[in-house]
Amino acid sequence: MRTFIKIGLIGFVLIFFVITSIGIAVWYLWSSNLPYIGSLKDYNPPIITEIFDDKGQVITQFSDERRILVPLEEISYHTIKAFIAAEDDRFFQHKGIDFLSIVRAFFKNIKARRIEQGGSTITQQVTKSLLLKNPARTYKRKVREALLSLQIEREFSKEEILYLYLNQIYLGHGQYGVEAASQTYFGKEASELNVAESALLAGLAQAPSKDSPIKHFNRAKTRQRYVLERMRAEGFINDKEYEEALATPLHIQQDKHEALEKAAHFIEHIRRIIERKYGRHLLYKGGLKIYTTVNLDMQGAAKDAVVRGIREFDKREGFRGPIGRVSPEDENLFTQQMREHLKNNSLEIGTITEATVVKVDSKKKETLVRIGDQLGLLPLSGMEWARMADVEKAYFETKLEDPAEVLAPGDIILVKIIKDLEGSPRWILSLEQTPQAEAALICLDTKTGQVKAMVGGVDFSKSQFNRATQARRQPGSAFKPIIYTAALDHGFTPSSIIIDAPFISPIGDEEEERLWKPRNYKERFFGPTLLRTGLIKSRNIITIKILEKIGVRNAVTYAKQMGVESPLNADLSLALGSSGTSLLELTRAFSVFANNGTLVKPIFITKVVDRNGKILEESYPSFTDSLSPETTAVMTDLLQAVVKEGTGWRIKALKRPVAGKTGTTDDLRDAWFLGFTPSVVTGVWVGYDDRRPMGKGETGSRAASPIFLYFMREILKGKPIVPFEHPEGVVITKIDAKTGLLASPFSEKTCFQAFKKGTEPTLYSPKPDQAKPGEFFQLDMDLSGKAR
């Protein structure tokens, strides 16, 4: 018996020794090569990069993990207590591992039949998030997690652990840390959160996607109630505070994209610049602060102007028909879908939405449509534009007379709410359609070069291509001011006479040489024409002959020194803007006129600061002398005349000094307007991405200048009227608008024109019957203005 007991004891000791040895070996192996917890002292997590407008307001952010790092002191007391109550109520008692909480959570979850409490401490959650990146649930990982948690508790204070936890935790919708989540869900800083809001945030810790207050509000409320119960149980709040918190309304912020929608192309341009210069890691994780030049008020005006102008243009192009049809058997399904859509999209004046045609009344000339569960009235006056598209006819040549010509019951159409009504129908509507054409606008501050507004297309969500900076389109007549600028420095004056007559020239290389026969826009020739008239009326032949006289190379040189960087055709077609340029390039070139001959460098970013406050770059206005002030002043005066007397006549509505030039290419594929005041220069382009021709009459004057007008009218509202200044080397002379000579009693039409001093005319315009064609002489005038 003793032998048997002895053998048993020896065996037990051996087994115990083996198991213990194995346990020690496993423990040693699993605990070796633990991550260095000292790295937590240099906690430097990915944080968001912020983009600021010119007033220092945040307009958007870039991040892989949207996190805003804040010290514990800037987090609401209620928020801290809410997370402790929900996640680790014995946080201040345990040393990293809480066996009591593990057991309690186990039985609590069994009773609830779902995971309602977790057994991990806040310290363990910090360990998992920051030190153990492998998510696999293994015994080895649990051992390592426990060891690291114990080490963290020895090395860090409870406050330091809370700081790590509350800045690191994921709380749904890409939000990391309580500060980012607070701003996203409630539109306030974490220091301002009340008890109800704090409890809701803490409730997201277990399942942030499933309990999202944006997508699953009721689930989020259920979790909030649980957290409040835990806070009351732990004595963090009393019964009264508990009831008040439950009754406190929660105003959850929906995703805000207002700034992004207004300035989407501008923001994307900034993103490209920063990523190219600093790399993706720094852009999305480095917490940069990027200060830009965009002015959101001007940007909003630019976006509104582009959308308005392009919708007006698109209607002139004609109605392309309904966007779809609903069969009688599918009508209920479509109505239900519309009802669901309208739950999250309110209908108000100006809203554009889908509708189904219910009835078309040819006698009353009106159409009844359904929007969800309600009816709207579409009168003929709201759809007169909707004759079927015909590129051979201008918009004013036909108007719709009967809505039945284009609509039928069951058609799905787009309508705009114009007016609210009492009863049914609920609204007065107008017919709309989604534009197919595109437009771009860019505006620079002439004194600094700062880009204050940029719209690269009608809808960024459909096309991220930036037509203001990336597109290269033929500028057409918008390029002519560069030719005329060179001419003024090569012997021409505004009064120079050029014969507007048929012109034929060989063009192309020797192997493919062909005869080129350019024409004026309306295919007419006007004989002897003043240089100023050639620019004001945008006469092609005049410009070609000027270019031939001064030389193509000189014109190219002037274009380059005025900021045009795109390759240019070295032939006479350059006079008609045959070489593709970007809207930014051409707008920058026009800034030379507004800036007294100085070329300014466009600035999009004023400053970039890293997460530690170090300035990585800073931009200041950069100027280069391009033209003489005298040449610039004469050109500005000529371009003012384009607005007062020529193709830019629509811009007169601004009722202030404005200079500019229209641009239209052959076959009406591109329409431009470039214009400026003493303070800003703005460029507009309109056209189709596939380069198809626009409708009849869609020139720069009709298609592009209205957008310029809408924008400038808004940004100049309430601003003082500032005239253009003239240097001492320029004189203003009253001339005969036909002959270009000094105005005389025989002049039928006169105008004031700027000349470089010494180039102004010295002869008076003669009596018509006293002059031979092309011959002028000086009249001896007495003080009364009568000829002697």
Side-chain angles (χ1 to χ4, degrees):
M1 186 68 179
R2 290 182 178 179
T3 303
F4 178 77
I5 293 174
K6 187 176 181 180
I7 293 173
L9 286 173
I10 294 173
F12 174 78
V13 170
L14 288 173
I15 293 172
F16 176 80
F17 177 77
V18 170
I19 292 175
T20 302
S21 298
I22 293 173
I24 292 172
V26 170
W27 182 274
Y28 175 78
L29 290 172
W30 285 0
S31 63
S32 61
N33 299 319
L34 285 173
Y36 175 56
I37 66 168
S39 61
L40 298 182
K41 294 182 179 180
D42 300 318
Y43 180 58
N44 200 31
I47 58 176
I48 61 173
T49 287
E50 295 178 306
I51 311 296
F52 298 84
D53 66 6
D54 65 345
K55 296 178 181 177
Q57 299 298 312
V58 177
I59 56 174
T60 194
Q61 299 162 335
F62 294 125
S63 64
D64 286 337
E65 298 179 3
R66 189 179 183 279
R67 178 186 286 104
I68 303 172
L69 213 57
V70 291
L72 200 62
E73 299 77 37
E74 294 181 17
I75 299 174
S76 163
Y77 167 84
H78 302 301
T79 305
I80 295 171
K81 292 302 183 182
F83 274 92
I84 290 174
E87 294 297 303
D88 189 358
D89 57 7
R90 286 171 37 81
F91 174 69
F92 286 101
Q93 283 77 50
H94 65 68
K95 298 299 182 181
I97 303 173
D98 189 0
F99 295 105
L100 181 60
S101 292
I102 293 173
V103 173
R104 186 178 63 190
F106 175 76
F107 287 107
K108 179 81 172 177
N109 294 337
I110 289 178
K111 184 178 179 181
R113 296 186 178 181
R114 62 189 179 119
I115 298 177
E116 197 170 77
Q117 280 189 340
S120 294
T121 63
I122 284 177
T123 311
Q124 286 176 286
Q125 292 182 54
V126 169
T127 300
K128 285 187 285 188
S129 179
L130 293 173
L131 297 176
L132 298 175
K133 301 301 183 182
N134 182 8
R137 296 185 177 183
T138 63
Y139 290 112
K140 177 182 178 180
R141 188 181 185 280
K142 277 295 182 182
V143 169
R144 292 165 68 83
E145 178 186 305
L147 288 172
L148 286 169
S149 298
L150 293 171
Q151 289 184 34
I152 289 173
E153 287 279 348
R154 286 197 300 268
E155 295 292 330
F156 294 85
S157 69
K158 290 290 185 178
E159 288 73 19
E160 289 171 330
I161 295 171
L162 276 175
Y163 163 76
L164 296 172
Y165 173 71
L166 292 174
N167 277 291
Q168 184 68 18
I169 188 170
Y170 179 63
L171 294 171
H173 292 275
Q175 312 306 308
Y176 288 80
V178 295
E179 179 69 20
S182 176
Q183 292 187 18
T184 295
Y185 295 132
F186 304 113
K188 60 174 68 174
E189 295 179 353
S191 60
E192 301 171 332
L193 293 176
N194 58 36
V195 176
E197 293 162 341
S198 298
L200 186 131
L201 276 193
L204 300 178
Q206 289 294 318
S209 297
K210 187 182 75 173
D211 298 329
S212 162
I214 293 177
K215 293 185 176 180
H216 309 292
F217 183 74
N218 290 336
R219 292 181 185 173
K221 282 290 292 180
T222 300
R223 283 293 298 171
Q224 180 209 35
R225 178 185 289 273
Y226 164 75
V227 175
L228 289 171
E229 289 172 352
R230 293 291 310 126
M231 292 179 74
R232 182 174 60 175
E234 293 300 321
F236 298 149
I237 57 175
N238 56 35
D239 290 343
K240 182 182 178 182
E241 290 171 320
Y242 170 81
E243 295 297 339
E244 288 176 349
L246 277 180
T248 300
L250 292 169
H251 302 290
I252 304 299
Q253 305 290 307
Q254 297 298 319
D255 292 341
K256 291 186 176 181
H257 300 297
E258 184 180 355
L260 183 59
E261 289 175 358
K262 288 197 295 188
H265 284 97
F266 187 99
I267 291 170
E268 173 62 11
H269 186 71
I270 297 299
R271 190 197 67 78
R272 288 172 179 266
I273 292 174
I274 297 299
E275 185 170 16
R276 183 170 60 246
K277 191 167 186 177
Y278 296 102
R280 190 184 188 284
H281 180 84
L282 204 55
L283 172 62
Y284 286 94
K285 299 182 178 182
L288 299 177
K289 295 186 183 299
I290 303 167
Y291 296 87
T292 74
T293 60
V294 69
N295 180 285
L296 280 189
D297 292 333
M298 296 175 70
Q299 182 65 40
K303 182 67 176 178
D304 291 344
V306 165
V307 171
R308 177 181 173 183
I310 211 68
R311 283 195 175 277
E312 291 173 350
F313 165 82
D314 188 70
K315 288 178 180 178
R316 295 195 298 268
E317 294 283 86
F319 186 50
R320 292 184 292 275
I323 59 178
R325 279 193 60 77
V326 176
S327 61
E329 54 269 23
D330 292 334
E331 186 172 354
N332 289 336
L333 176 61
F334 182 80
T335 301
Q336 177 61 31
Q337 291 173 342
M338 278 294 296
R339 195 179 296 121
E340 291 297 321
H341 171 73
L342 294 175
K343 284 182 179 179
N344 299 318
N345 296 273
S346 60
L347 295 176
E348 54 191 29
I349 303 298
T351 299
I352 295 176
T353 186
E354 289 185 1
T356 52
V357 175
V358 176
K359 179 183 178 182
V360 181
D361 192 327
S362 296
K363 289 184 178 180
K364 293 184 178 181
K365 295 190 175 182
E366 62 186 26
T367 302
L368 195 66
V369 304
R370 183 183 301 281
I371 305 174
D373 292 326
Q374 303 203 55
L375 298 176
L377 189 66
L378 175 58
L380 184 64
S381 60
M383 57 181 298
E384 282 183 330
W385 63 271
R387 79 273 182 253
M388 298 308 289
D390 184 353
V391 296
E392 297 300 323
K393 293 184 178 181
Y395 80 101
F396 52 80
E397 293 180 0
T398 58
K399 282 189 177 180
L400 186 69
E401 297 181 356
D402 183 356
E405 294 178 24
V406 294
L407 296 180
D411 285 344
I412 304 174
I413 58 175
L414 287 179
V415 294
K416 181 179 181 180
I417 297 177
I418 302 299
K419 183 180 179 181
D420 282 323
L421 298 175
E422 295 294 334
S424 183
R426 178 72 175 78
W427 305 283
I428 296 293
L429 310 166
S430 66
L431 182 65
E432 299 290 330
Q433 66 182 0
T434 301
Q436 291 184 344
E438 284 290 351
L441 181 152
I442 194 164
C443 176
L444 280 71
D445 184 311
T446 59
K447 304 307 177 187
T448 64
Q450 292 188 1
V451 178
K452 309 311 292 184
M454 179 171 69
V455 178
V458 177
D459 189 344
F460 182 80
S461 66
K462 294 181 179 178
S463 172
Q464 290 75 54
F465 183 66
N466 192 332
R467 295 155 190 84
T469 60
Q470 295 175 301
R472 295 293 184 273
R473 303 290 292 236
Q474 292 184 351
S477 299
F479 194 83
K480 288 177 181 176
I482 296 176
I483 308 297
Y484 281 76
T485 298
L488 292 178
D489 285 345
H490 287 79
F492 284 86
T493 76
S495 288
S496 296
I497 300 288
I498 301 98
I499 305 301
D500 188 357
F503 181 88
I504 300 175
S505 173
I507 196 171
D509 53 36
E510 294 181 359
E511 295 181 358
E512 298 184 6
E513 187 176 272
R514 65 186 188 280
L515 291 179
W516 182 45
K517 301 177 181 179
R519 301 168 297 176
N520 289 324
Y521 172 61
K522 293 188 177 180
E523 300 188 16
R524 291 177 56 195
F525 301 98
F526 297 87
T529 303
L530 297 186
L531 177 143
R532 77 181 300 273
T533 305
L535 181 61
I536 291 169
K537 302 299 183 182
S538 201
R539 303 270 168 78
N540 291 340
I541 303 303
I542 299 297
T543 311
I544 292 168
K545 289 188 173 182
I546 290 173
L547 178 59
E548 184 181 42
K549 184 72 174 177
I550 65 173
V552 173
R553 287 187 178 180
N554 282 326
V556 170
T557 298
Y558 270 70
K560 296 299 183 185
Q561 70 188 37
M562 290 176 69
V564 177
E565 299 175 349
S566 296
L568 300 174
N569 297 332
D571 57 45
L572 293 179
S573 69
L574 185 66
L576 306 186
S578 62
S579 301
T581 62
S582 73
L583 180 60
L584 175 59
E585 281 179 288
L586 212 54
T587 304
R588 184 189 181 198
F590 272 67
S591 74
V592 175
F593 302 133
N595 229 13
N596 299 317
T598 302
L599 176 65
V600 64
K601 180 181 179 181
I603 297 174
F604 289 88
I605 298 171
T606 56
K607 185 167 61 174
V608 178
V609 181
D610 71 9
R611 66 192 297 163
N612 299 314
K614 179 183 177 183
I615 297 176
L616 301 182
E617 67 174 81
E618 202 161 7
S619 298
Y620 299 96
S622 175
F623 301 99
T624 305
D625 290 336
S626 176
L627 304 174
S628 71
E630 292 75 20
T631 299
T632 303
V634 175
M635 275 305 305
T636 297
D637 192 63
L638 288 169
L639 292 172
Q640 282 185 272
V642 171
V643 172
K644 295 174 183 176
E645 309 169 38
T647 56
W649 61 271
R650 285 179 172 82
I651 311 305
K652 286 191 292 184
L654 288 176
K655 297 180 181 180
R656 64 172 65 225
V658 185
K661 182 69 184 76
T662 56
T664 311
T665 56
D666 286 345
D667 300 322
L668 304 176
R669 298 180 191 277
D670 299 273
W672 303 70
F673 189 83
L674 284 296
F676 56 94
T677 67
S679 59
V680 295
V681 55
T682 300
V684 176
W685 168 87
V686 174
Y688 288 101
D689 283 344
D690 60 7
R691 300 181 185 270
R692 79 178 91 155
M694 294 178 284
K696 186 177 179 181
E698 296 298 339
T699 62
S701 177
R702 178 167 298 284
S705 73
I707 296 176
F708 176 92
L709 174 62
Y710 301 150
F711 172 68
M712 295 293 282
R713 179 186 285 156
E714 190 63 30
I715 69 168
L716 295 175
K717 190 181 295 181
K719 300 289 179 66
I721 295 176
V722 181
F724 290 102
E725 297 180 355
H726 294 118
E728 292 184 0
V730 168
V731 295
I732 306 296
T733 304
K734 188 177 183 181
I735 64 171
D736 185 297
K738 184 176 182 180
T739 66
L741 300 178
L742 295 173
S744 75
F746 308 117
S747 299
E748 295 179 1
K749 182 180 179 182
T750 63
C751 61
F752 288 96
Q753 177 59 54
F755 291 87
K756 294 180 185 179
K757 191 174 288 186
T759 68
E760 68 272 21
T762 56
L763 300 176
Y764 286 94
S765 188
K767 189 176 180 179
D769 59 2
Q770 291 179 334
K772 298 178 182 179
E775 180 183 348
F776 305 105
F777 56 90
Q778 182 157 5
L779 293 176
D780 185 10
M781 308 286 287
D782 61 22
L783 294 177
S784 66
K786 295 181 180 180
R788 290 173 177 168

